[in-house]
Amino acid sequence: MTLTTADKALVVSIFGKVSSHKEAYGAEALFRLFSSFGQSKTYFSHFDLSQGSADLKRHGAKVLGALGEAASHLDNLDQALSKLSDLHAYNLRVDPANFQLLSHSIQVTLAAHFPADFTPEAQSAWDKFISAVSGVLTSKYR
Amino acid sequence: MVHLSADECKDVSAVFSKVNVDQLGGESLASLLIVYPWTRRHFKTFGNLSSTDAILHNAKVQAHGAKVLGAVRDALKHVANLGGHFAHLSDLHCQQLFVDPANFKLFAGIVSIRVGQTMRQAYTPHVQASFEKFLDAVTDALAKGYH
């Protein structure tokens, strides 16, 4: 699966609008994840998972920040995400199924905040993008 | 079997009352064919699906999407027995069309995203959770025909 030039442009342009709201939107995506898919809470027993909590804001910003890093290195995701890949493989060991759940939650958040921008083509680009990122993060699992 | 509480049913009902089901259904099916191109193979009789533009303007896609989401909406009245309610459609999808049940989940995911696009902040995480639970129950019922 490759991101076309058009895909990359859509990822970069929408991320541009997200970047000043990383805490709020990141927290929202995480809260949507935990609300719809309770099993994902297993990795966050040390967090305050209430809506808008400081933990969710901090972690949400971190997750979206990492996606932003990825968006600036679309031609070299392996290298850009190498440390995070190690972290997920050897330390966190997040079940790969959860990446898809988080991807969905992020996409609902983006669609709700940018309804005019989140066209089917934009959705396709973001779905592929987050899929590619998830692939790198799980690449060293086994 | 999935049980939806009265509150969850109310959330689902509220979603359907706030969206144009025909339009959302058509857009969701179009999006499915665009975001997950392999799904186009189930719609060979629908004419031109060769580009994003062609799909977005395909009348058969719009009509079928409207039909599908209408059926999902109507299923809310039968939430206590979705298996029975969808028995015929399940057989059709599973025994005749051989649609991989994973595709039902893909369609449900797209519907949820489109609802978020339409309802925006009114599609709260809580409402989303209720609505996705309902879609999950519907897709499970549709997949029963394989067993």
Side-chain angles (χ1 to χ4, degrees), chain A residues 28 31-33 35-37 51 100 104-105 107-109 111-121 123-124 127-128, chain B residues 27 30-31 34-36 52-53 56 106 108-110 112-114 116-118 120-121 123-126 128-130 132:
Chain A
E28 180 181 330
F31 191 71
R32 288 185 185 278
L33 173 71
S35 300
S36 280
F37 311 108
Q51 192 164 13
Q100 243 178 316
H104 174 73
S105 307
Q107 289 181 57
V108 172
T109 304
H113 287 284
F114 306 111
D117 296 279
F118 212 65
T119 61
E121 291 101 316
Q123 182 184 337
S124 177
D127 198 72
K128 286 163 78 174
Chain B
E27 284 173 358
S31 294
I34 291 165
V35 180
Y36 306 112
T52 296
D53 222 50
L56 288 171
L106 291 182
I110 287 188
S112 182
I113 288 170
R114 290 260 141 193
Q117 189 179 29
T118 305
R120 307 198 62 186
Q121 297 318 299
Y123 195 50
T124 63
H126 182 86
Q128 179 189 344
S130 300
E132 288 183 352

Side-chain angles (χ1 to χ4, degrees), chain B:
Chain B
M1 202 186 76
V2 175
H3 293 275
L4 267 81
S5 70
D7 276 343
E8 285 166 339
C9 287
K10 249 184 8 195
D11 286 341
V12 175
S13 205
V15 168
F16 281 120
S17 73
K18 296 204 171 95
V19 303
N20 178 326
V21 172
D22 282 353
Q23 191 181 350
L24 196 87
E27 284 173 358
S28 295
L29 185 58
S31 294
L32 180 78
L33 301 173
I34 291 165
V35 180
Y36 306 112
W38 55 88
T39 55
R40 296 176 203 183
R41 63 177 293 279
H42 290 292
F43 299 95
K44 291 203 174 112
T45 58
F46 276 33
N48 189 1
L49 299 178
S50 60
S51 68
T52 296
D53 222 50
I55 292 168
L56 288 171
H57 295 100
N58 186 309
K60 284 188 174 173
V61 170
Q62 292 300 316
H64 192 69
K67 196 195 216 183
V68 170
L69 199 61
V72 173
R73 174 203 50 210
D74 294 342
L76 185 57
K77 298 190 212 86
H78 305 271
V79 78
N81 181 22
L82 288 173
H85 176 69
F86 278 122
H88 170 69
L89 273 177
S90 182
D91 276 345
L92 172 69
H93 284 79
C94 301
Q95 307 288 350
Q96 290 178 52
L97 302 173
F98 301 117
V99 178
D100 189 322
N103 291 296
F104 304 146
K105 302 287 179 191
L106 291 182
F107 181 69
I110 287 188
V111 169
S112 182
I113 288 170
R114 290 260 141 193
V115 168
Q117 189 179 29
T118 305
M119 287 177 64
R120 307 198 62 186
Q121 297 318 299
Y123 195 50
T124 63
H126 182 86
V127 169
Q128 179 189 344
S130 300
F131 192 65
E132 288 183 352
K133 188 176 175 186
F134 169 65
L135 291 180
D136 229 27
V138 168
T139 52
D140 280 351
L142 262 177
K144 272 183 152 55
Y146 276 112
H147 305 292

Side-chain angles (χ1 to χ4, degrees), chain A residues 19 22 67 83 90 104 108-109 118:
Chain A
S19 61
K22 284 201 285 267
L67 278 177
K83 280 219 191 87
Y90 306 123
H104 174 73
V108 172
T109 304
F118 212 65

